[in-house]
Amino acid sequence: MRLQHVRLLLQKRDHLLPGRGRVHAVVTCVREPRRTVSTGPKKESNVKSASSILGKRWKDTAETVIIGGGCVGVSLAYHLAKAGMKDVVLLEKSELTAGSTWHAAGLTTYFHPGINLKKIHYYSIKLYEVLEEETGQAVGFHQPGSIRIASTPTRVDELRYQMTRGRWHPNPQYLIGPEKVKELFPLLNIDKVLAGLHNPGDGHIDPYSLTMALASGARKYGAQLYFPAQVTNLTPRPDGTWNVGTPHGTIHAKRIVNATGFWAREVGKLLGLDHPLIPVHHQYVVTGTVPEVKALKTELPVIRDLEGSYYLRQERDGLLFGPYESQEKMKLQDSWVTHGVPPGFGKELFESDLDRIMQHVEAAMDMVPVLRNADIINIVSGPITYSPDLLPMVGPHQGVQNYWVAIGFGYGIIHAGGIGKFLSDWIIGKEPPFDLIELDPNRYGKWTTTKYTALKARESYGFNNIVGYPKEERFAGRPTERVSGVYEELKTKCSMGFHAGWEQPHWFYKPGDDTEYKPSFRRTNWFEPVRREYNQVMEKVGVIDLSPFGKFTVKGKDAIKFLDHLLANTIPKEGFTNISHMLTPRGRVYAELTVSHLSPGEFLLITGSGSELHDLRWIEEFAIQGNYNVEIANVTDEVGVLGVAGPLSRKVLQKLTSEDLSESAFKFLHGRRMNIAGIPVTAIRISYTGELGWELFHKRQDTSVLYNKIMQAGDEEGIDNFGTYAMNALRLEKAFRGWGAEMNCDTNPLEAGLHYFIKLNKQADFIGKQALQQIKEKGLQRKLVYLTLETDNVDPEGNESIWHDGKVVGNTTSGTFSYSTNKSLAFAYVPIQLSEPGRKLEVELLGKHYPATVIQEPLVLTEPTRNRMQKKGDGAKL
């Protein structure tokens, strides 16, 4: 059946197929699927045969037990065994590749908008290039390249945006014009093509062959792969290890890894966990021989039509076409969430539904006209597991010892190689080899309900090819239960952002403002309102809702000893606060915390919203390892936070308390329990704006009353709200580093300029101390620098390429517009020889190189520094 006839057939299907609701029976039965599908239980003789084989070589102990025999699980087994781990066992309930692996389209690409996910893709492709030679198993790897098609000016901007974020990576990537696109894909109608993003090393691989090659390699290096071997129970032991139950016996495992694809929820439930995952129906169409394709001398590159929202590649002498339907048309297999995956489901498929994809079929026929006369020989519709934000969940899980996950892969084939290596390095090396917090399974919490998961998965699937703007917001499933006490009062006055389930104001409206959400690669409708909020804090007093902060209490007999080992800074004295960092054994920055010593042996630890459970897991893990006598509690949901900042903040708050808030009585980085407007708060004199200010921690149910009392008290001073966009501009002008930007698991604190907070001379042997001493002795290779830029209508966001003498030499980490100087401002990492103030560099933004200058930081002195300088009679630099 030809694609151009499908619409007519759909219109007449009730006549053609009486009693049938689909065209499925007509088009998908022309040819059997590429590989035989298992549709029923194994024959008894096969089960007995498998059991006898398992009985001969069954291991009752293992260093690591991997559950799931898809490409990701098998890749992890291969990498762990190759790295030297002796006792690696993989358990698969049916057969290798069952699940989402066997029916995948097998696309491989160097491209990813995520900075470090590019590393995952890069490693996967490089591994697949040599895997056949290493294992002797064919993998069916084709590398004709790929082209992402831009057919609107906004899409061209998007490609330029991605180019500057990719130049400082080794991934081969080029921005090409329509003529080059036509040369590479001669069957394309380029009437609407404005540009293309070309990755020459991209292509596709046979998922079955890839998995079998990885399995061969895993066995070669000593891993044991058992199947069929269903996991029936998981029992934690007092020492944190596991008993893994199967029909063949129990394995005592040091750690377990859930890599079970669409079975991940079922395995999680064995532990009492509810992983936020849901299967999506993904369809692709395979055509028969297309004469124009067969006549080509070289294989066509894979194309991704971003506006049409589909991928298309050559399959033998035909074409394979896979669309991503809109969130209104796509289909979830939500019955699997409520009732569980059918026990026998392994290598089955769903019934196809061409209705849902006709819009994309027509777009593809317009872009690749030879499709109109192509014969459909197969339609594949299978389950792909999605997390709420489309990204997988990879790493150790908070709250459960020695339980790791590698689940939720929407693109498991391209991720398999790199994720196997990443997790193997982490498990063996005791820390992540590089930062991938966007994949942290602990980014979700109790607020991630089944309803939320379904709504977000639907949105994420439909948005597969949506324009990837900076500062992107997605609105499905919001708000969650995580709303602060002032949400209802503020929601109509501001543009809310989503932070780990919380709603937090980004910027506020005033009469006459354009209040629509208008993301852009250039300055947009919030540019001037943010200036207004910036001035509010610099000149008067502003209030910001900081409730999304992650908040932990640590107390007990060993609290000081424990924190002294955990943190690189000294432990603050009672009544004091400081900024401290948790480092990895290699001396990388795992987290940044605000640490307040509230009472003897009782501490309040504050972290960013996106790091809450990421940091808590690390804290808990080292408390258990060291057998410290401490109590650790996550009080994030119980405690609200309001920030009050600006030169008039003291005057406003003093009206609401009998406590002396004067400079001499309540100094910078001091904290105390007190009452504000009769409400108990823990007040800390600190502000991420760098201006005079306090953070007020209180019971979440008191937030609304406290907020309104503060606003009433500040009426005479012209008090007003400000949001996170203004706070970002204020913190960058003060040269405050941000975790996840200037520092993370890719950076050490010395190159990040955090020397002041790192006490190498303190007596405690804190985590990472020895590594930092070695780094200091060897000397730094790069350094974080502070840049001003001469731009026009675009500002740096972070991760843009830095140029010098025609070469890419580094990257920005974050950036903004400086409202005090009317220039753009950015942090960036560059080689140490290019880091001196006055050095001229260039920053690439949307394909244009803008002049940049390394300057002495900060651009604007903090309020405490200005006060010190005024006391010395030196004046203040503004």
Side-chain angles (χ1 to χ4, degrees), residues 162 166 209 396 444 455 541 652 714 738 863:
Q162 292 301 335
S209 299
Y444 300 117
L455 289 169
V541 54
V652 171
E863 178 264 343

Side-chain angles (χ1 to χ4, degrees), residues 743-820:
M743 49 180 153
N744 54 26
C745 289
D746 295 327
T747 60
N748 70 65
L750 303 183
E751 64 189 4
L754 298 171
H755 303 71
Y756 178 81
F757 306 101
I758 308 300
K759 308 303 183 186
L760 285 172
N761 59 350
K762 81 171 186 176
Q763 187 173 0
D765 186 21
F766 62 84
I767 301 164
K769 183 177 183 178
Q770 295 180 26
L772 274 190
Q773 289 170 335
Q774 293 175 4
I775 291 170
K776 186 176 181 181
E777 288 177 9
K778 291 180 180 178
L780 300 177
Q781 301 301 307
R782 65 172 190 164
K783 184 180 177 182
L784 187 72
V785 297
Y786 202 51
L787 300 173
T788 54
L789 291 76
E790 300 292 341
T791 61
D792 36 52
N793 192 34
V794 59
D795 299 299
E797 293 281 341
N799 298 312
E800 295 98 355
S801 296
I802 304 291
W803 292 77
H804 178 66
D805 284 347
K807 296 180 181 179
V808 175
V809 295
N811 63 280
T812 61
T813 54
S814 59
T816 189
F817 181 80
S818 165
Y819 291 101
S820 69

Side-chain angles (χ1 to χ4, degrees), residues 569-580 593-598 603-606 666-672 682-687 695 697 756-757:
N569 204 345
T570 54
I571 304 304
K573 297 177 182 179
E574 185 181 349
F576 285 74
T577 294
N578 71 15
I579 305 299
S580 295
L593 302 171
T594 301
V595 180
S596 298
H597 197 160
L598 301 180
F603 294 85
L604 176 65
L605 276 55
I606 306 301
F666 205 139
K667 297 181 179 179
F668 180 57
L669 293 179
H670 283 222
R672 69 181 68 159
T682 296
I684 300 173
R685 193 181 150 198
I686 191 172
S687 176
E695 290 176 357
F697 296 81
Y756 178 81
F757 306 101

Side-chain angles (χ1 to χ4, degrees), residues 109 125 135 176 184 187 196 300 519 529 548 574 588 590 633 725 729 798 815:
T109 177
I125 288 177
T135 64
I176 59 177
L184 294 169
L187 304 183
L300 291 168
E574 185 181 349
R588 304 301 179 100
Y590 188 84
Y725 288 177

Side-chain angles (χ1 to χ4, degrees), residues 270 646 651:
L270 294 176
K651 185 177 180 182

